[in-house]
């Protein structure tokens, strides 16, 4: 006879209250006799007993492929969120070249991108102003020669007693004045890199610095003059650059000269460049509440260019280290942060930790985990959900 028929026959003739109790008892007995019902696995009982929320994934569990493990190793402690940086010319290695004299460009010797050395001709101009200066030097030299002859003659006459001493002194003063004027004009020509004694109106503008021509605003036939804007040429040694950071006021105490700054630029994904803090400005921008920090950057391969933007991470001192983990390794439960350590393959133990600085994709672990601990770097949320679903209901 089927089991349900036996139970039905057994319930006939019973009062209602006793019948209800008998039905409940029958259901429980049937549940115990059913072979497909599995009790809580031992891991769940262990969780309930110790409240550890340990999770065990079997070797054939498809969830194990989504769990990434790693070793907690100390690294340089991050100090702040990455900040925006701007790459600039190193102004100590940059010159903006303007013409020191009026004239008209007749020939341009260099183009943007050319490498130049100190004294390299940049352009040639025809300058009437230079011609006047050269003529003035010629006149001053003639005046000096005449004054020398006059003074020599008066000296001879004075020695013979023919000329009074006053005449000798006057010719000596005239000679000194002529020499000073000649020297003044000679120095003017020297500042223009013009040899004294030549009169041709031809002015050659030369580079005062070795580097790369990064900008050119000169055209044939263009009139030039001192203090013209923009500069005719910009020459800079772009193997050395400056990096300008905008640091928030609250982070000022974390910055000091000599620190290493790691740069990332869009042009070279995944590649890092190192700069060094050189100077922290002493003025706070009242609008943005930031302080500018100047860093020096070596650029031997010329990959980085002035006016580029970069993301900058200010590094701590070499001996200031901490354990930094991905945010995917941490989950929040209640008012605490947790992660999973690996006790053995497929066995994960929930561990409470103290989290310090949180960055965009990582966090600093201040307490709760020791260096060398094997832990879950990615997949902590998956294991947390697994633990939640395995918890027995109360």
């Amino acid at each position: 006879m089927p089991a349900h028929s036996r139970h039905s026959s057994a319930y006939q003739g019973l009062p209602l209250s006793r019948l209800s109790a008998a039905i409940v008892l029958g259901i429980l007995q049937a549940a115990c006799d059913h072979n497909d019902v599995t009790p809580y696995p031992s891991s769940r009982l262990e969780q309930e007993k110790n409240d550890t929320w340990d999770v065990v994934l079997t070797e054939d569990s498809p969830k194990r492929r989504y769990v990434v493990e790693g070793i907690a190793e100390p690294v340089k402690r991050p100090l702040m969120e990455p900040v925006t940086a701007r790459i600039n010319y190193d102004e100590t290695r940059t010159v903006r070249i303007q013409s020191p004299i009026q004239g008209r460009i007749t020939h341009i010797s260099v183009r943007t991108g050319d490498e130049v050395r100190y004294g390299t001709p940049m352009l040639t101009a025809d300058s009437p102003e230079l011609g006047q200066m050269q003529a003035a030097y010629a006149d001053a030299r003639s005046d000096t020669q005449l004054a020398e002859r006059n003074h020599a003659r008066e000296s001879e006459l004075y020695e013979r007693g023919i000329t009074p001493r006053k005449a000798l002194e006057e010719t000596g003063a005239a000679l000194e004045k002529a020499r000073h004027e000649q020297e003044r004009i000679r120095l003017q020509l020297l500042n223009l890199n013009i040899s004294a004694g030549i009169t041709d109106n031809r002015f050659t503008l030369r580079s005062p610095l070795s580097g790369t021509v990064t900008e050119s605003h000169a055209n044939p036939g263009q009139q030039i003059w001192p203090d013209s804007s923009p500069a005719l040429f910009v020459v800079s040694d772009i193997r050395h650059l400056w990096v300008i950071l905008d640091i928030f006021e609250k982070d000022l105490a974390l910055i000091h000269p000599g620190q290493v700054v790691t740069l990332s630029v869009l042009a070279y994904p995944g590649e890092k460049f190192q700069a060094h803090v050189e100077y922290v400005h002493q003025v706070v921008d009242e609008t943005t509440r930031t302080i500018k920090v100047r860093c020096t950057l070596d650029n031997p391969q010329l990959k980085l260019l002035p006016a580029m933007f970069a993301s900058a991470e200010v590094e701590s001192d070499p001996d200031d280290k901490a354990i930094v983990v991905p945010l995917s390794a941490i989950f929040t439960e209640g008012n605490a942060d947790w992660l999973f350590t690996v006790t053995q393959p497929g066995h994960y133990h929930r561990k409470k930790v103290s989290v310090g600085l949180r960055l965009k994709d990582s966090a600093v672990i201040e307490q709760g985990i020791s260096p060398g601990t094997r832990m879950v770097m990615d997949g902590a949320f998956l294991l947390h959900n697994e633990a939640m679903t395995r918890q027995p209901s109360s």
Side-chain angles (χ1 to χ4, degrees):
M1 179 183 295
H4 66 85
S5 299
R6 293 198 303 266
H7 292 317
S8 299
S9 300
Y11 298 150
Q12 292 178 359
L14 291 176
L16 182 59
S17 59
R18 294 182 62 187
L19 176 61
S20 300
I23 292 173
V24 172
L25 182 60
I27 293 173
L28 292 176
Q29 183 178 359
C32 293
D33 292 340
H34 203 287
N35 294 330
D36 295 335
V37 176
T38 304
Y40 290 123
S42 60
S43 61
R44 301 184 193 172
L45 298 177
E46 186 72 17
Q47 293 165 14
E48 185 176 21
K49 178 180 177 181
N50 300 327
D51 192 26
T52 60
W53 293 68
D54 287 358
V55 177
V56 178
L57 297 180
T58 60
E59 291 185 5
D60 58 350
S61 173
K63 296 179 181 179
R64 290 186 67 169
R65 72 183 66 175
Y66 299 105
V67 177
V68 179
E69 301 175 5
I71 303 297
E73 296 180 351
V75 296
K76 282 187 178 181
R77 179 187 298 274
L79 299 178
M80 64 187 74
E81 285 281 1
V83 298
T84 300
R86 186 176 63 258
I87 299 175
N88 285 357
Y89 291 117
D90 181 341
E91 293 298 337
T92 64
R93 304 170 187 265
T94 301
V95 61
R96 292 164 178 81
I97 303 175
Q98 296 174 317
S99 174
I101 198 169
Q102 291 186 4
R104 181 178 59 82
I105 297 175
T106 57
H107 177 71
I108 298 174
S109 306
V110 297
R111 297 178 298 178
T112 302
D114 287 351
E115 294 286 331
V116 297
R117 301 190 64 82
Y118 174 82
T120 298
M122 306 292 285
L123 60 77
T124 304
D126 178 72
S127 174
E129 182 179 350
L130 174 61
Q132 293 175 1
M133 194 178 299
Q134 291 171 327
Y137 177 78
D139 291 344
R141 186 172 59 178
S142 297
D143 292 344
T144 301
Q145 291 172 351
L146 177 61
E148 288 175 345
R149 290 194 295 269
N150 290 339
H151 185 63
R153 184 176 62 253
E154 290 297 330
S155 294
E156 183 179 352
L157 294 175
Y158 175 74
E159 290 177 357
R160 295 180 181 180
I162 301 175
T163 302
R165 184 177 182 84
K166 180 179 179 181
L168 177 64
E169 292 176 348
E170 288 177 348
T171 57
L175 174 61
E176 191 70 17
K177 182 178 180 180
R179 286 175 175 173
H180 286 165
E181 179 65 12
Q182 179 182 348
E183 181 66 9
R184 181 184 70 81
I185 301 174
R186 187 188 72 82
L187 291 176
Q188 287 182 336
L189 293 173
L190 183 63
N191 287 336
L192 299 175
N193 293 312
I194 302 298
S195 299
I198 298 177
T199 305
D200 59 3
N201 287 17
R202 185 178 179 182
F203 169 66
T204 300
L205 182 65
R206 300 178 182 273
S207 176
L209 182 75
S210 297
T212 303
V213 181
T214 59
E215 296 181 37
S216 174
H217 302 282
N219 299 297
Q222 177 182 337
Q223 292 290 331
I224 56 176
W225 60 88
D227 300 326
S228 59
S229 181
L232 295 172
F233 301 98
V234 176
V235 175
S236 180
D237 182 1
I238 57 176
R239 290 178 176 80
H240 304 278
L241 298 169
W242 279 354
V243 180
I244 306 300
L245 313 181
D246 291 319
I247 300 297
F248 287 105
E249 183 179 0
K250 65 181 179 63
D251 296 325
L252 180 60
L254 303 175
I255 302 294
H256 60 80
Q259 274 180 296
V260 176
V261 176
T262 302
L263 303 177
S264 303
V265 295
L266 293 176
Y268 306 101
E271 192 167 352
K272 302 293 185 180
F273 304 87
Q274 282 196 342
H276 294 82
V277 175
E278 181 182 56
Y279 177 70
V280 180
H281 287 234
Q282 303 300 306
V283 178
V284 178
D285 189 303
E286 295 184 0
T287 303
T288 62
R289 307 308 301 175
T290 59
I291 300 93
K292 293 193 179 300
V293 175
R294 187 178 73 224
C295 308
T296 57
L297 171 66
D298 289 334
N299 186 35
Q301 297 180 345
L302 305 182
K303 286 186 173 182
L304 302 178
L305 303 174
M308 272 186 171
F309 283 99
S311 176
E313 299 178 19
V314 181
E315 296 186 5
S316 59
D317 294 332
D319 57 347
D320 184 10
K321 295 188 176 182
I323 294 176
V324 181
V325 301
L327 289 181
S328 56
I330 303 172
F331 64 93
T332 302
E333 176 72 22
N335 295 324
D337 293 305
W338 306 78
L339 51 74
F340 282 98
T341 59
V342 183
T343 57
Q344 55 182 298
H347 290 244
Y348 307 100
H349 172 70
R350 191 176 77 155
K351 182 76 171 177
K352 184 178 180 179
V353 293
S354 175
V355 177
L357 177 67
R358 291 178 187 266
L359 303 175
K360 181 179 179 181
D361 54 4
S362 61
V364 178
I365 304 299
E366 300 291 354
Q367 293 179 348
I369 190 169
S370 302
T373 301
R374 190 166 188 84
M375 57 172 290
V376 173
M377 295 297 184
D378 191 7
F381 190 69
L382 180 149
L383 293 177
H384 176 59
N385 287 341
E386 183 74 5
M388 291 291 292
T389 58
R390 289 187 179 184
Q391 287 295 306
S393 60
S394 56

